[in-house]
Amino acid sequence: MIPLTYFFAKILNYLCIFIETNEMAKKELEKLPGISFMVDEETNRIVIVLDQDKYGEAWQDFYDGLLLEMTDREEIVTLEELKAEYKAEGKI
């Protein structure tokens, strides 16, 4: 399983790359209040900072959708199966 912090960092990185290579997206984002960017030494945008009061709910919806896409092909494990596995491993 991928740690969420790593996954979150990857999503932001891909989003930054998309924005950096897409002029229309770049211009539209610059118009929105509550969105700022962190840049590297060459002034490449590497991080997007979102105002959580303005965009927190929208970001959570986006993030939930990405998680859903990542896990839609995973095997489903019932609670009973998980309990049995944990019991066999001595975790409970």
Side-chain angles (χ1 to χ4, degrees):
M1 171 166 261
I2 300 171
L4 288 181
T5 52
Y6 174 81
F7 178 67
F8 189 68
K10 283 300 211 183
I11 291 170
L12 288 177
N13 185 46
Y14 291 132
L15 194 53
C16 285
I17 291 168
F18 170 76
I19 290 167
E20 197 59 40
T21 58
N22 187 315
E23 283 300 315
M24 189 170 95
K26 198 184 305 185
K27 288 177 183 174
E28 288 302 312
L29 276 175
E30 288 172 353
K31 295 177 189 176
L32 294 173
I35 297 179
S36 55
F37 300 91
M38 296 178 81
V39 296
D40 63 11
E41 300 82 28
E42 289 95 35
T43 67
N44 296 313
R45 294 175 184 175
I46 57 170
V47 175
I48 300 170
V49 181
L50 300 175
D51 181 331
Q52 286 298 298
D53 291 334
K54 290 181 185 273
Y55 303 108
E57 190 174 325
W59 173 254
Q60 188 62 49
D61 290 344
F62 174 73
Y63 182 69
D64 289 346
L66 287 173
L67 286 178
L68 193 61
E69 277 189 37
M70 275 186 52
T71 59
D72 71 343
R73 292 181 201 100
E74 288 184 5
E75 177 185 348
I76 296 173
V77 179
T78 67
L79 180 58
E80 290 75 24
E81 291 171 330
L82 188 60
K83 284 180 182 179
E85 180 182 329
Y86 277 19
K87 194 173 236 180
E89 293 174 359
K91 294 181 179 178
I92 58 171

